[in-house]
Amino acid sequence: IAPDEGQEDEAAADGADFSAEDAREELERLRKDEQPAAASAESGGMCKLPGQVPDLPEGLRITTEMKQLLSALLTSDKNRIGFCGMGGIGKTTISTWLVREEGTRKQFEQIAWVTLGQEPNLEKLQELMHMELTGQKFDGEPSPDEKLVLLKKAMAGKNLLLVLDDLWESAHEELLNFIDDTTDSKVLVSSRVRGVLEGAEIVDVGLPTEDEAVQMLLSVAGLPLDVDAPPEAREVVKFC
């Protein structure tokens, strides 16, 4: 780009000490600056998924409750979205589907995933979350209070989706949830204990209907879904 008239002498003076090595370094810097934009374009502007997110099972059927949860996650004014269901109902699969949806990955800048359970190792989960958010372990051996400060700092300013899979106690969330309320960040909580979802927008996840279960079974078996199900399929579903 040519300099404006009157700036040529100044530009020439500034360029007198600009060596070929300086030029190469500047070109390298510009190339690196362009890489994130290129990567974002290639991924369609979708954020990356953390390695802890499971794969989706074959034969997955999208239920009404799953659609309700996705709508709440993307449009609700509340920053906590929760769903409750009995053990084995498929809560982790539902969370997996939600975070893998294109709309979710485009709406949030980053996704952090933590699976808890009834007796989680919270110290390890805090370190795992810090790794997900920053790419680094805690520096040294911070105290419990210092860890809370570091996690809050790691979430500050980020449009983040924090997934707390299989939460049993509210006290556990208090050691992990530090989303920035000034952003559009949200927390997705799944639990079999309805009480821990207090204050969230809650969707109850129940058992599939018999017909839905038959369709799931046929799908996993690789059988066509547009014909009458064999009676054995319905017997299997009733037995389960």
Side-chain angles (χ1 to χ4, degrees):
I1 302 174
D4 294 337
E5 187 175 352
Q7 294 181 333
E8 294 179 356
D9 291 343
E10 182 180 349
D14 289 344
D17 297 326
F18 197 76
S19 67
E21 181 62 28
D22 293 331
R24 280 193 292 271
E25 290 179 359
E26 179 66 8
L27 286 171
E28 179 65 11
R29 183 188 68 78
L30 291 172
R31 183 184 67 80
K32 290 180 178 179
D33 287 348
E34 286 296 316
Q35 283 179 341
S40 178
E42 289 174 3
S43 64
M46 295 193 294
C47 70
K48 292 182 178 180
L49 291 174
Q52 287 71 28
V53 178
D55 293 329
L56 284 172
E58 294 182 7
L60 177 66
R61 304 283 294 178
I62 310 305
T63 65
T64 300
E65 292 93 342
M66 292 165 72
K67 293 177 182 178
Q68 290 175 351
L69 281 164
L70 180 61
S71 176
L73 193 60
L74 300 182
T75 64
S76 176
D77 292 334
K78 292 190 176 183
N79 63 10
R80 280 179 87 240
I81 310 299
F83 61 103
C84 187
M86 60 184 287
I89 200 71
K91 294 186 294 295
T92 296
T93 297
I94 292 173
S95 292
T96 300
W97 177 77
L98 289 169
V99 301
R100 288 185 176 275
E101 277 294 285
E102 181 177 326
T104 304
R105 294 179 63 191
K106 284 186 174 181
Q107 180 154 317
F108 296 98
E109 172 188 341
Q110 191 172 4
I111 295 172
W113 177 291
V114 177
T115 299
L116 293 103
Q118 191 169 6
E119 297 180 356
N121 185 329
L122 291 165
E123 288 189 10
K124 286 189 176 297
L125 291 180
Q126 287 177 325
E127 183 151 337
L128 174 63
M129 181 177 290
H130 193 265
M131 280 283 294
E132 288 184 356
L133 294 169
T134 68
Q136 299 177 340
K137 295 182 178 181
F138 287 125
D139 188 17
E141 296 184 1
S143 68
D145 288 342
E146 288 171 338
K147 288 181 180 179
L148 303 186
V149 171
L150 290 169
L151 285 172
K152 186 173 183 178
K153 181 179 179 181
M155 296 185 191
K158 290 183 177 178
N159 180 21
L160 174 73
L161 173 60
L162 171 61
V163 181
L164 301 179
D165 179 45
D166 197 20
L167 177 69
W168 282 67
E169 296 183 26
S170 299
H172 296 166
E173 181 177 354
E174 293 172 2
L175 298 176
L176 297 166
N177 179 7
F178 301 100
I179 62 169
D180 190 337
D181 292 335
T182 66
T183 69
D184 293 326
S185 296
K186 288 184 179 177
V187 184
L188 176 66
V189 184
S190 67
S191 180
R192 66 185 72 188
V193 184
R194 189 178 178 85
V196 304
L197 304 178
E198 185 177 353
E201 181 163 338
I202 304 174
V203 174
D204 288 303
V205 178
L207 289 169
T209 65
E210 186 176 293
D211 288 338
E212 288 174 335
V214 168
Q215 292 290 299
M216 292 167 62
L217 180 61
L218 294 178
S219 179
V220 173
L223 298 175
L225 306 180
D226 54 354
V227 298
D228 291 337
E232 292 83 1
R234 199 164 293 276
E235 289 177 15
V236 170
V237 165
K238 290 180 177 179
F239 178 76
C240 291

